[in-house]
Amino acid sequence: MTDLSSLPRPEPRPGLEHEYAELGARLNGLLPCVEWPLHLPWIDAILRLKAMRGATILAHSYQSPEIFHGVADVTGDSLALAEAAARCDSAIIVFCGVQFMAETAKILAPDRTVLIPDPAADCSLARSITAADVRALRRRHPGVPVVSYINTSAAVKAESDACCTSANALQVVESMASPRVIFLPDRYLGQYIAAQTTVKLILWEGSCEVHEQFSAAQVRQTRAQFDAQIVAHPECTPEVLAEADFVGSTTAMSGWLRKQRPSRVALVTECSMADNLKAEFPDIAFIQPCNLCPHMQRITLPNIYACLRDLQHEVTVDPQIAARARQSLDRMLAIGRRDRV
Ligand code: 13P
Ligand code: SF4
């Protein structure tokens, strides 16, 4: 075990601003400027500790900019992070995201130590359904395959035939080669996919507490007031999606921006995503009808530091559940990403 007594404390060292000038420039405009000097000592301490531990930090696109740009080794959507975990060769993975994502990383990298800075980082979709619910659905619809969104617990994945993300949901559903598929738990993503396929989807009543808050009236007002293009995540309601110029997964949204280069855009999704993208698209004005995911926001620089320092909050998954969940995840990974714009 590393001797932690000699580790630098997260207090400013002389010259830090100069040492991290490039990062400071990248974060300029992504954060209120008063925050940068407060974050800097934590970023410095985490990067040093990460190197000492030989750890890799994975961070979801909904993490705040000081994490996404400041300390992460790999950033992306849930599919990208699952793929990164599967091929990660560090002994320790620190997962900056929510619990179901960290569990997925553990299932795909069973011999790595996976840590989550705050184990209470939950998800309303993952909470909406249990393994017993899936077994009951199977009894009600015998022989119908189950596709579960990655936003589910390991136990639900274990009861499923395949997993998907918004980057491949349509292709995973169609790969079941069945006229009917049980699709869970997000009813809005399910409705969005159902409109694109002849497969009849049996849906669950789950929803994302962040995306379902957007309203069609709010989107119409944003377009009228700011003359902005509207880009929405398929976890939004059908009424919101009907107002959008483009609907796509987290990664497809940034692909669309790269291709279309609108002068003004409203990303109808979690707020940090637009903050993070400002660095790549300084020429685009992001109008932010802002909804933050309270679960994603539980991850902070201080709890990343503590998690690395004390190797705390290890993610564990029952090996039998993990083995069955892995089959569902492998089926998804074999299909891969299908959201190229
Ligand atoms: P992605 O699969 O696009 O990363 O989204 C995950 C999520 O939680 C969306 O709210
Ligand atoms: Fe879950 Fe919604 Fe938060 Fe994504 S944004 S983690 S779906 S609650």
Side-chain angles (χ1 to χ4, degrees), residues 60 62 76-79 100-101 123 149-151 165-166 208 211 233 235 249-251 296:
H60 190 263
Y62 296 175
D77 65 5
S78 56
L79 178 60
F100 77 81
M101 296 178 179
C123 166
Y149 196 28
I150 199 166
N151 298 41
T165 75
S166 55
C208 162
H211 288 88
H233 192 280
E235 286 173 13
S249 69
T250 300
T251 299
M296 288 282 181

PDB file of all heavy atoms in Angstrom, residues 60 62 76-79 100-101 123 149-151 165-166 208 211 233 235 249-251 296, ligand 1:
ATOM      1  N   HIS A  60     -18.202  10.824 -17.053  1.00  0.00           N
ATOM      2  CA  HIS A  60     -19.323  10.974 -17.994  1.00  0.00           C
ATOM      3  C   HIS A  60     -19.437  12.425 -18.463  1.00  0.00           C
ATOM      4  O   HIS A  60     -19.019  13.350 -17.758  1.00  0.00           O
ATOM      5  CB  HIS A  60     -20.630  10.520 -17.314  1.00  0.00           C
ATOM      6  CG  HIS A  60     -21.774  10.416 -18.268  1.00  0.00           C
ATOM      7  ND1 HIS A  60     -22.690  11.429 -18.425  1.00  0.00           N
ATOM      8  CD2 HIS A  60     -22.126   9.434 -19.138  1.00  0.00           C
ATOM      9  CE1 HIS A  60     -23.582  11.056 -19.347  1.00  0.00           C
ATOM     10  NE2 HIS A  60     -23.266   9.849 -19.797  1.00  0.00           N
ATOM     11  N   TYR A  62     -21.790  14.328 -18.360  1.00  0.00           N
ATOM     12  CA  TYR A  62     -22.589  15.173 -17.474  1.00  0.00           C
ATOM     13  C   TYR A  62     -21.816  15.602 -16.228  1.00  0.00           C
ATOM     14  O   TYR A  62     -22.387  16.210 -15.318  1.00  0.00           O
ATOM     15  CB  TYR A  62     -23.852  14.440 -17.004  1.00  0.00           C
ATOM     16  CG  TYR A  62     -24.869  14.075 -18.062  1.00  0.00           C
ATOM     17  CD1 TYR A  62     -25.987  13.320 -17.726  1.00  0.00           C
ATOM     18  CD2 TYR A  62     -24.743  14.482 -19.387  1.00  0.00           C
ATOM     19  CE1 TYR A  62     -26.940  12.972 -18.669  1.00  0.00           C
ATOM     20  CE2 TYR A  62     -25.685  14.136 -20.334  1.00  0.00           C
ATOM     21  CZ  TYR A  62     -26.787  13.375 -19.974  1.00  0.00           C
ATOM     22  OH  TYR A  62     -27.721  13.028 -20.910  1.00  0.00           O
ATOM     23  N   GLY A  76     -16.818  10.693 -21.898  1.00  0.00           N
ATOM     24  CA  GLY A  76     -17.735  10.282 -22.956  1.00  0.00           C
ATOM     25  C   GLY A  76     -19.082   9.876 -22.411  1.00  0.00           C
ATOM     26  O   GLY A  76     -19.390  10.090 -21.230  1.00  0.00           O
ATOM     27  N   ASP A  77     -19.882   9.257 -23.285  1.00  0.00           N
ATOM     28  CA  ASP A  77     -21.213   8.807 -22.878  1.00  0.00           C
ATOM     29  C   ASP A  77     -21.112   7.430 -22.233  1.00  0.00           C
ATOM     30  O   ASP A  77     -20.011   6.877 -22.083  1.00  0.00           O
ATOM     31  CB  ASP A  77     -22.182   8.838 -24.075  1.00  0.00           C
ATOM     32  CG  ASP A  77     -21.797   7.860 -25.179  1.00  0.00           C
ATOM     33  OD1 ASP A  77     -20.839   7.074 -24.998  1.00  0.00           O
ATOM     34  OD2 ASP A  77     -22.460   7.869 -26.233  1.00  0.00           O
ATOM     35  N   SER A  78     -22.241   6.879 -21.859  1.00  0.00           N
ATOM     36  CA  SER A  78     -22.188   5.630 -21.090  1.00  0.00           C
ATOM     37  C   SER A  78     -21.614   4.484 -21.921  1.00  0.00           C
ATOM     38  O   SER A  78     -20.927   3.615 -21.375  1.00  0.00           O
ATOM     39  CB  SER A  78     -23.559   5.280 -20.513  1.00  0.00           C
ATOM     40  OG  SER A  78     -24.511   5.210 -21.529  1.00  0.00           O
ATOM     41  N   LEU A  79     -21.844   4.506 -23.231  1.00  0.00           N
ATOM     42  CA  LEU A  79     -21.276   3.441 -24.071  1.00  0.00           C
ATOM     43  C   LEU A  79     -19.754   3.584 -24.154  1.00  0.00           C
ATOM     44  O   LEU A  79     -19.013   2.605 -23.971  1.00  0.00           O
ATOM     45  CB  LEU A  79     -21.902   3.476 -25.475  1.00  0.00           C
ATOM     46  CG  LEU A  79     -21.361   2.436 -26.450  1.00  0.00           C
ATOM     47  CD1 LEU A  79     -21.592   1.014 -25.925  1.00  0.00           C
ATOM     48  CD2 LEU A  79     -21.996   2.588 -27.834  1.00  0.00           C
ATOM     49  N   PHE A 100     -25.011   3.026 -11.655  1.00  0.00           N
ATOM     50  CA  PHE A 100     -25.177   1.958 -12.656  1.00  0.00           C
ATOM     51  C   PHE A 100     -24.007   1.953 -13.643  1.00  0.00           C
ATOM     52  O   PHE A 100     -23.637   0.899 -14.168  1.00  0.00           O
ATOM     53  CB  PHE A 100     -26.536   2.075 -13.383  1.00  0.00           C
ATOM     54  CG  PHE A 100     -26.615   3.152 -14.436  1.00  0.00           C
ATOM     55  CD1 PHE A 100     -26.105   2.957 -15.718  1.00  0.00           C
ATOM     56  CD2 PHE A 100     -27.223   4.370 -14.151  1.00  0.00           C
ATOM     57  CE1 PHE A 100     -26.186   3.957 -16.686  1.00  0.00           C
ATOM     58  CE2 PHE A 100     -27.311   5.369 -15.112  1.00  0.00           C
ATOM     59  CZ  PHE A 100     -26.779   5.160 -16.378  1.00  0.00           C
ATOM     60  N   MET A 101     -23.411   3.106 -13.879  1.00  0.00           N
ATOM     61  CA  MET A 101     -22.270   3.181 -14.804  1.00  0.00           C
ATOM     62  C   MET A 101     -21.037   2.534 -14.169  1.00  0.00           C
ATOM     63  O   MET A 101     -20.280   1.816 -14.828  1.00  0.00           O
ATOM     64  CB  MET A 101     -21.967   4.634 -15.157  1.00  0.00           C
ATOM     65  CG  MET A 101     -23.089   5.319 -15.907  1.00  0.00           C
ATOM     66  SD  MET A 101     -22.686   7.044 -16.250  1.00  0.00           S
ATOM     67  CE  MET A 101     -24.168   7.524 -17.129  1.00  0.00           C
ATOM     68  N   CYS A 123     -29.842   7.024 -10.018  1.00  0.00           N
ATOM     69  CA  CYS A 123     -30.466   7.420 -11.288  1.00  0.00           C
ATOM     70  C   CYS A 123     -31.936   7.048 -11.210  1.00  0.00           C
ATOM     71  O   CYS A 123     -32.262   5.918 -10.819  1.00  0.00           O
ATOM     72  CB  CYS A 123     -29.782   6.688 -12.434  1.00  0.00           C
ATOM     73  SG  CYS A 123     -30.683   6.772 -13.994  1.00  0.00           S
ATOM     74  N   TYR A 149     -32.156  -0.799 -21.077  1.00  0.00           N
ATOM     75  CA  TYR A 149     -31.289   0.371 -21.204  1.00  0.00           C
ATOM     76  C   TYR A 149     -30.160   0.183 -20.195  1.00  0.00           C
ATOM     77  O   TYR A 149     -30.357  -0.407 -19.126  1.00  0.00           O
ATOM     78  CB  TYR A 149     -32.154   1.583 -20.850  1.00  0.00           C
ATOM     79  CG  TYR A 149     -31.646   2.944 -21.252  1.00  0.00           C
ATOM     80  CD1 TYR A 149     -30.808   3.155 -22.336  1.00  0.00           C
ATOM     81  CD2 TYR A 149     -32.087   4.064 -20.539  1.00  0.00           C
ATOM     82  CE1 TYR A 149     -30.406   4.431 -22.684  1.00  0.00           C
ATOM     83  CE2 TYR A 149     -31.687   5.344 -20.886  1.00  0.00           C
ATOM     84  CZ  TYR A 149     -30.832   5.517 -21.957  1.00  0.00           C
ATOM     85  OH  TYR A 149     -30.429   6.782 -22.294  1.00  0.00           O
ATOM     86  N   ILE A 150     -29.000   0.720 -20.494  1.00  0.00           N
ATOM     87  CA  ILE A 150     -27.858   0.550 -19.589  1.00  0.00           C
ATOM     88  C   ILE A 150     -28.130   1.210 -18.231  1.00  0.00           C
ATOM     89  O   ILE A 150     -27.521   0.838 -17.224  1.00  0.00           O
ATOM     90  CB  ILE A 150     -26.566   1.083 -20.269  1.00  0.00           C
ATOM     91  CG1 ILE A 150     -25.330   0.516 -19.577  1.00  0.00           C
ATOM     92  CG2 ILE A 150     -26.586   2.601 -20.329  1.00  0.00           C
ATOM     93  CD1 ILE A 150     -24.052   0.713 -20.366  1.00  0.00           C
ATOM     94  N   ASN A 151     -29.093   2.153 -18.210  1.00  0.00           N
ATOM     95  CA  ASN A 151     -29.472   2.825 -16.955  1.00  0.00           C
ATOM     96  C   ASN A 151     -30.333   1.888 -16.103  1.00  0.00           C
ATOM     97  O   ASN A 151     -31.511   2.145 -15.838  1.00  0.00           O
ATOM     98  CB  ASN A 151     -30.277   4.102 -17.237  1.00  0.00           C
ATOM     99  CG  ASN A 151     -29.509   5.139 -18.026  1.00  0.00           C
ATOM    100  OD1 ASN A 151     -28.798   4.801 -18.963  1.00  0.00           O
ATOM    101  ND2 ASN A 151     -29.657   6.395 -17.675  1.00  0.00           N
ATOM    102  N   THR A 165     -27.715   1.400 -25.152  1.00  0.00           N
ATOM    103  CA  THR A 165     -27.702   2.803 -24.721  1.00  0.00           C
ATOM    104  C   THR A 165     -28.473   3.563 -25.795  1.00  0.00           C
ATOM    105  O   THR A 165     -28.913   2.969 -26.790  1.00  0.00           O
ATOM    106  CB  THR A 165     -26.273   3.385 -24.593  1.00  0.00           C
ATOM    107  OG1 THR A 165     -25.776   3.622 -25.902  1.00  0.00           O
ATOM    108  CG2 THR A 165     -25.342   2.469 -23.832  1.00  0.00           C
ATOM    109  N   SER A 166     -28.578   4.881 -25.625  1.00  0.00           N
ATOM    110  CA  SER A 166     -29.279   5.647 -26.666  1.00  0.00           C
ATOM    111  C   SER A 166     -28.457   5.659 -27.955  1.00  0.00           C
ATOM    112  O   SER A 166     -28.963   6.039 -29.005  1.00  0.00           O
ATOM    113  CB  SER A 166     -29.570   7.063 -26.181  1.00  0.00           C
ATOM    114  OG  SER A 166     -28.377   7.685 -25.773  1.00  0.00           O
ATOM    115  N   CYS A 208     -36.548   9.642 -16.928  1.00  0.00           N
ATOM    116  CA  CYS A 208     -35.415  10.369 -16.349  1.00  0.00           C
ATOM    117  C   CYS A 208     -35.956  11.643 -15.704  1.00  0.00           C
ATOM    118  O   CYS A 208     -36.588  12.464 -16.375  1.00  0.00           O
ATOM    119  CB  CYS A 208     -34.398  10.705 -17.439  1.00  0.00           C
ATOM    120  SG  CYS A 208     -33.276  12.012 -16.913  1.00  0.00           S
ATOM    121  N   HIS A 211     -34.565  14.828 -17.759  1.00  0.00           N
ATOM    122  CA  HIS A 211     -35.035  15.103 -19.130  1.00  0.00           C
ATOM    123  C   HIS A 211     -36.548  15.293 -19.205  1.00  0.00           C
ATOM    124  O   HIS A 211     -37.033  16.007 -20.072  1.00  0.00           O
ATOM    125  CB  HIS A 211     -34.577  13.981 -20.060  1.00  0.00           C
ATOM    126  CG  HIS A 211     -33.112  14.014 -20.342  1.00  0.00           C
ATOM    127  ND1 HIS A 211     -32.191  13.379 -19.545  1.00  0.00           N
ATOM    128  CD2 HIS A 211     -32.397  14.652 -21.308  1.00  0.00           C
ATOM    129  CE1 HIS A 211     -30.971  13.601 -20.019  1.00  0.00           C
ATOM    130  NE2 HIS A 211     -31.068  14.373 -21.084  1.00  0.00           N
ATOM    131  N   HIS A 233     -32.192  15.109 -26.338  1.00  0.00           N
ATOM    132  CA  HIS A 233     -31.885  13.704 -26.016  1.00  0.00           C
ATOM    133  C   HIS A 233     -33.201  12.915 -26.016  1.00  0.00           C
ATOM    134  O   HIS A 233     -34.230  13.424 -25.548  1.00  0.00           O
ATOM    135  CB  HIS A 233     -31.225  13.649 -24.627  1.00  0.00           C
ATOM    136  CG  HIS A 233     -30.619  12.317 -24.302  1.00  0.00           C
ATOM    137  ND1 HIS A 233     -31.374  11.250 -23.857  1.00  0.00           N
ATOM    138  CD2 HIS A 233     -29.338  11.865 -24.354  1.00  0.00           C
ATOM    139  CE1 HIS A 233     -30.569  10.210 -23.649  1.00  0.00           C
ATOM    140  NE2 HIS A 233     -29.329  10.560 -23.940  1.00  0.00           N
ATOM    141  N   GLU A 235     -34.443  10.869 -24.143  1.00  0.00           N
ATOM    142  CA  GLU A 235     -35.112  10.655 -22.851  1.00  0.00           C
ATOM    143  C   GLU A 235     -36.151  11.757 -22.580  1.00  0.00           C
ATOM    144  O   GLU A 235     -36.874  11.700 -21.593  1.00  0.00           O
ATOM    145  CB  GLU A 235     -34.093  10.635 -21.705  1.00  0.00           C
ATOM    146  CG  GLU A 235     -33.272   9.367 -21.655  1.00  0.00           C
ATOM    147  CD  GLU A 235     -32.153   9.428 -20.620  1.00  0.00           C
ATOM    148  OE1 GLU A 235     -32.143  10.335 -19.772  1.00  0.00           O
ATOM    149  OE2 GLU A 235     -31.268   8.557 -20.688  1.00  0.00           O
ATOM    150  N   SER A 249     -28.380  10.730 -29.297  1.00  0.00           N
ATOM    151  CA  SER A 249     -27.685  10.354 -28.067  1.00  0.00           C
ATOM    152  C   SER A 249     -26.696  11.462 -27.684  1.00  0.00           C
ATOM    153  O   SER A 249     -26.421  12.380 -28.465  1.00  0.00           O
ATOM    154  CB  SER A 249     -26.920   9.058 -28.304  1.00  0.00           C
ATOM    155  OG  SER A 249     -25.849   9.330 -29.183  1.00  0.00           O
ATOM    156  N   THR A 250     -26.119  11.315 -26.526  1.00  0.00           N
ATOM    157  CA  THR A 250     -25.138  12.290 -26.031  1.00  0.00           C
ATOM    158  C   THR A 250     -24.019  12.511 -27.066  1.00  0.00           C
ATOM    159  O   THR A 250     -23.656  13.650 -27.381  1.00  0.00           O
ATOM    160  CB  THR A 250     -24.567  11.759 -24.699  1.00  0.00           C
ATOM    161  OG1 THR A 250     -25.669  11.636 -23.802  1.00  0.00           O
ATOM    162  CG2 THR A 250     -23.522  12.653 -24.115  1.00  0.00           C
ATOM    163  N   THR A 251     -23.492  11.425 -27.608  1.00  0.00           N
ATOM    164  CA  THR A 251     -22.394  11.549 -28.574  1.00  0.00           C
ATOM    165  C   THR A 251     -22.900  12.074 -29.914  1.00  0.00           C
ATOM    166  O   THR A 251     -22.229  12.881 -30.571  1.00  0.00           O
ATOM    167  CB  THR A 251     -21.688  10.195 -28.753  1.00  0.00           C
ATOM    168  OG1 THR A 251     -21.151   9.829 -27.479  1.00  0.00           O
ATOM    169  CG2 THR A 251     -20.564  10.260 -29.763  1.00  0.00           C
ATOM    170  N   MET A 296     -25.522  13.054 -10.756  1.00  0.00           N
ATOM    171  CA  MET A 296     -24.206  13.301 -11.361  1.00  0.00           C
ATOM    172  C   MET A 296     -23.444  14.359 -10.566  1.00  0.00           C
ATOM    173  O   MET A 296     -22.222  14.276 -10.407  1.00  0.00           O
ATOM    174  CB  MET A 296     -24.385  13.800 -12.803  1.00  0.00           C
ATOM    175  CG  MET A 296     -24.850  12.732 -13.767  1.00  0.00           C
ATOM    176  SD  MET A 296     -23.460  11.680 -14.219  1.00  0.00           S
ATOM    177  CE  MET A 296     -24.276  10.555 -15.355  1.00  0.00           C
TER     178      MET A 296
HETATM  179  P1  13P B   1     -25.721   8.370 -22.339  1.00  0.00           P
HETATM  180  O1  13P B   1     -26.043   6.900 -22.522  1.00  0.00           O
HETATM  181  O2  13P B   1     -25.995   9.147 -23.581  1.00  0.00           O
HETATM  182  O3  13P B   1     -24.375   8.559 -21.803  1.00  0.00           O
HETATM  183  O4  13P B   1     -26.765   8.949 -21.291  1.00  0.00           O
HETATM  184  C1  13P B   1     -26.817   8.421 -20.028  1.00  0.00           C
HETATM  185  C2  13P B   1     -27.776   9.152 -19.220  1.00  0.00           C
HETATM  186  O5  13P B   1     -27.841   8.984 -18.040  1.00  0.00           O
HETATM  187  C3  13P B   1     -28.655  10.082 -19.909  1.00  0.00           C
HETATM  188  O6  13P B   1     -29.422  10.773 -19.006  1.00  0.00           O
END
